[in-house]
Amino acid sequence: MNRHTKLAILLAPFLILGGYVLSDLYLEDQASDLRLYQMQPFGHCDVINQKCILKSGEFEINVMHDNGITTVNSTFPLDTATLFTVDKANNPTGYQLGMKETPYYWKRETDIGALIPNKSDKLKLRFIGEIKGGKYIAEFYTQTVK
């Protein structure tokens, strides 16, 4: 066995370990990059009657409002959830939702019921949910049918 082969056999484990560590650092850096996903309403959105589903691929959230409490439930656990009501002058009012019991359910007291008191009134809402650095965003209208 010549000296080049011996040197290769001696260095191979260190090169493999170094490659593994560097690839892990690279993937960790890529995971922290900002990723935005647009969510779209699935059919007609009626938050008051609990019929508002937003979708982005496999991810879905359901937005509902009952007795002054707005609740969001999702198919995947959220890290944070924020809901905005937007008035006619396009001024948003933000509501940072708090986790209910699990990261699948988020709730907060909001004024959505007061902003759409009559049947067929529309209200613009915005949603931002975060899952492991990925942000899911939506801008949609809710309209009460019944």
Side-chain angles (χ1 to χ4, degrees), residues 13-140:
F14 296 107
L15 292 175
I16 290 171
L17 184 60
Y20 178 76
V21 168
L22 289 176
S23 69
D24 186 50
L25 290 173
Y26 174 76
L27 290 175
E28 185 177 323
D29 182 57
Q30 292 294 318
S32 67
D33 287 346
L34 179 64
R35 296 177 315 275
L36 290 176
Y37 302 98
Q38 181 72 34
M39 300 187 80
Q40 299 295 326
F42 185 69
H44 179 75
C45 192
D46 185 355
V47 172
I48 299 296
N49 290 316
Q50 303 175 1
K51 295 178 182 174
C52 185
I53 297 175
L54 304 173
K55 289 184 77 163
S56 178
E58 296 284 319
F59 181 60
E60 293 182 6
I61 66 162
N62 187 4
V63 183
M64 52 197 130
H65 183 82
D66 189 31
N67 294 326
I69 304 291
T70 301
T71 304
V72 170
N73 90 356
S74 62
T75 54
F76 300 118
L78 294 170
D79 296 330
T80 63
T82 307
L83 189 69
F84 297 89
T85 58
V86 182
D87 63 13
K88 295 191 188 297
N90 212 24
N91 296 320
T93 303
Y95 298 97
Q96 182 69 40
L97 303 176
M99 193 183 322
K100 194 171 180 180
E101 288 130 15
T102 68
Y104 295 93
Y105 292 92
W106 297 74
K107 71 175 183 173
R108 167 127 187 226
E109 194 172 312
T110 64
D111 61 352
I112 290 177
L115 294 172
I116 47 175
N118 301 319
K119 180 179 166 181
S120 78
D121 285 350
K122 276 188 172 183
L123 177 64
K124 184 192 289 188
L125 298 173
R126 293 179 184 151
F127 174 79
I128 300 174
E130 188 172 340
I131 301 175
K132 295 181 183 174
K135 292 194 185 287
Y136 289 84
I137 60 172
E139 181 174 276
F140 59 100

